[in-house]
Each structure stands twice: as structure tokens, then as C-alpha cells.
Amino acid sequence: MTEEQAEQADDVDEDVEDGTTDDEASGLQAGDFVKLGYTARTVEEEQLVDTTDPDVAEEEGVDDQQTEFKPRTIVLGEGHIFEAVEDEIVGAEAGDSGTVTIPAEEAFGEHDPDDVETISAEKIDEDDRYPGAHVQIEGRTGHITTIIGGRARVDFNHPLAGEDVEYDYEIVDVVDDREERAAGLFEMYLDVSPELEIEVDEVEEEVPVEPDDEDEDAEPEFETEVVEKETLYVESTPQLTMNQQWMFSKQQIAQDVIDKVGVDRVIVQEIIDGAGGMMGGMGGMMSGMGAGGGDIEDALEDADVDADEIVDELEADADE
């Protein structure tokens, strides 16, 4: 072994001892939360696919949607963005930017001619019988390319199938704050930004007691202990409550937040403000009638309130 080789071997031994190597990964890695700004367009037609830029959204006429255009928080290594873009970001730093071209097969798939079918127009709602309409046929989503007489040509490929996509991105920041991370996950999954905070609670918990070695057949016993749990409190806004993705997948979403943010549990709180005005007056009237035995319709009439109208509104709400 030459002197140079001996020195290299010593360097390797030192690296192993302190847990580092010359090839140790640097920069952003899988599991990191990053705030990403981006605009994606098809290469051939330059059709907008998605953007976080409010100026681009305004130029394209999509800024009237119920969406806030701003950089989005994603987790590297979780498939939240195209793999080719993720590969570019891994190892990069906050402030870096770039452009990645994603081939069709890795974006929205190649266009498959076998997924273009002719079907009876009777299977399509009358309001959707026109070229370009997006339709649901027997559980499949497609768009009408042509419709003549009683027959419609429906393309069940993704509307952007066969299109290469150009993806301009900028790594705006690395997200370290855990509440920001949780908020970013909710925005990514639900496009909703609920108020939330992390608190440490003391919770009573039943824990098993070690059995007596002499009594192997004894029933398991438990005792109550007070333990600390990190809790993510989320305010249940109407936007969150009525979000279909949340309605059907709240358990999976909450578990993912627990795993990625590192809290022990998620508590969704519904806040109901005290009612005033008419309802306050109604409460006073009700208590007065309870004491005096008056008639509810007479009381409503005295208060210039239409009882039939209230009943109709309550029934309508119940039907909804």
C-alpha cells in the first residue's frame, strides 16, 4: 500500500467513526417539507396545466376559481409532484429554480386509441350532449369529441394524455415549523386552510399492569395514568365540514398528518358562536310562555313573526 493509499484509508476510517462519508447526501432530501412555486404547461400547445402564480392565473383567466394561488407545501419522496421534478429538487437548496420537461408517459399517460368509444347518446344527460362536455359513463370519466344523431364519440383518456409537460419551479423555502407543515398538508389534500395549533395536553390513559409471575392465569389488570399527548387542534370551518374529500377520507388524512408532523392525535373542534337577535328574543319568549302557559302562535304573532314561515324554513333545511 502506497503512502497516498494509506492516507485515503485513514480518511475513510475517520469518516466511518464520525458517521460521514464523502458521498453523504447534501441539500434537500426525502421527507423534507418544502414550499414550492410552479407553473406547468403542455409543451406543444402551451396549455396551462397548473400554477401557483396569481399573475399567471389572471392571465389565463382562471383566477376567479375558489382557489388561492400561492406556493404550496409538499413533502419530498411522497409522490406529491411529478417524479422527474422531485428528482431535480432532491439535493437542491431553498432559492433554487429550474425547468423540467416531463414526457407524456410520465405525466398523464400516452393517448390510447382503444379508450375512444362510440356510445348511445341516450346514456348521456341531455345538458351534456355537446362536443367537449365532460361526462360520467358507467363509472368512467371522459369527454365528448363528436356527437351526431343518436351516437356520441367519447374519449376516456385523460384530457392531457399524450402531452409532454414543461414544469417551471422555484423552491421558495424549507418548512420547519410543525404547525405550518400541518397547514400545508391540509391545503394540499383539501385546498382548505383551517385554523390550527399544536398543544400539549395531560390525558388520563388506561395502561396494563405487569402481571404477577406467580399467577399466570390472572385476568389482565389496568391502571389509570396521566400522560402528555401532543394534540393538533383543527377548527372545523364550514369549508372543511362540507369538503367531500374530508368527508370520505378524514381518517386517512388525519393519520397522515399525525405521521408526518409527529403529533399524537388530531382533534377537530366545531365552534358555535352564541346566537343573538331574533333567536335571543325567541328564547325569552319561550321561557315566558313556559311560566305563564301562553300559546306559542299568539306569542309569535305579538312579536310580528310569521310562524308558518319559520316552519317552512325548518322543513326546507331538514329536507336538504
Side-chain angles (χ1 to χ4, degrees):
M1 178 184 293
T2 66
E3 183 176 346
E4 182 179 354
Q5 289 173 327
E7 290 178 357
Q8 290 176 347
D10 289 340
D11 290 340
V12 170
D13 290 340
E14 290 175 4
D15 289 340
V16 170
E17 287 177 3
D18 63 17
T20 64
T21 67
D22 291 339
D23 295 330
E24 183 177 6
S26 61
L28 295 169
Q29 298 299 317
D32 287 341
F33 282 68
V34 298
K35 193 170 289 186
L36 194 69
Y38 60 82
T39 293
R41 300 179 185 272
T42 60
V43 172
E44 188 171 340
E45 302 292 336
E46 295 188 356
Q47 178 183 345
L48 182 67
V49 176
D50 194 11
T51 187
T52 62
D53 189 329
D55 294 332
V56 172
E58 183 177 0
E59 291 172 6
E60 295 289 339
V62 297
D63 58 329
D64 59 344
Q65 299 175 0
Q66 300 297 317
T67 301
E68 185 177 2
F69 293 92
K70 63 179 183 179
R72 296 176 186 167
T73 299
I74 59 103
V75 186
L76 294 178
E78 296 295 327
H80 295 160
I81 52 177
F82 290 117
E83 184 177 354
V85 180
E86 193 168 74
D87 290 344
E88 288 282 326
I89 293 175
V90 169
E93 305 284 350
D96 289 350
S97 60
T99 299
V100 180
T101 299
I102 305 158
E105 62 269 20
E106 296 177 16
F108 300 99
E110 296 284 6
H111 189 274
D112 186 351
D114 292 338
D115 283 336
V116 183
E117 303 175 11
T118 300
I119 65 170
S120 170
E122 294 297 323
K123 294 184 177 181
I124 303 171
D125 189 281
E126 289 186 12
D127 293 337
D128 293 331
R129 294 177 188 174
Y130 61 89
H134 292 274
V135 293
Q136 285 276 348
I137 308 292
E138 298 176 351
R140 303 169 67 194
T141 300
H143 62 278
I144 299 175
T145 58
T146 57
I147 183 165
I148 302 175
R151 310 295 286 175
R153 193 77 168 156
V154 181
D155 188 346
F156 290 102
N157 287 281
H158 189 283
L160 294 175
E163 298 279 359
D164 296 338
V165 175
E166 188 173 82
Y167 199 107
D168 295 321
Y169 72 88
E170 178 186 4
I171 306 168
V172 177
D173 202 0
V174 178
V175 181
D176 293 321
D177 183 83
R178 296 167 71 211
E179 290 182 359
E180 284 188 39
R181 289 183 171 191
L185 290 173
F186 272 96
E187 287 182 344
M188 181 178 60
Y189 288 130
L190 307 173
D191 203 18
V192 170
S193 304
E195 294 291 330
L196 53 79
E197 62 180 349
I198 297 174
E199 295 184 1
V200 177
D201 298 330
E202 289 189 345
V203 180
E204 290 188 351
E205 192 173 81
E206 295 291 318
V207 297
V209 177
E210 286 292 332
D212 189 341
D213 293 336
E214 297 179 0
D215 190 359
E216 297 180 355
D217 298 327
E219 291 290 329
E221 296 183 3
F222 296 85
E223 64 181 12
T224 301
E225 281 188 3
V226 175
V227 297
E228 289 188 344
K229 286 185 177 291
E230 275 198 313
T231 304
L232 175 67
Y233 285 96
V234 181
E235 181 180 335
S236 180
T237 61
Q239 292 83 358
L240 177 62
T241 302
M242 300 305 295
N243 185 287
Q244 289 191 352
Q245 183 73 10
W246 176 248
M247 291 168 63
F248 293 114
S249 306
K250 65 175 63 178
Q251 181 63 45
Q252 296 93 318
I253 294 171
Q255 186 61 56
D256 194 54
V257 171
I258 288 170
D259 293 340
K260 290 184 171 56
V261 177
V263 294
D264 296 308
R265 58 183 185 166
V266 173
I267 294 180
V268 182
Q269 302 179 111
E270 184 176 12
I271 299 176
I272 301 176
D273 291 326
M278 174 181 165
M279 291 305 294
M282 288 280 288
M285 288 188 294
M286 295 301 181
S287 60
M289 287 185 290
D295 183 85
I296 185 171
E297 291 188 1
D298 292 340
L300 291 171
E301 186 175 345
D302 292 341
D304 194 23
V305 176
D306 189 332
D308 292 334
E309 183 178 338
I310 291 178
V311 172
D312 291 342
E313 289 181 2
L314 291 174
E315 290 178 345
D317 290 342
D319 290 340
E320 291 177 358

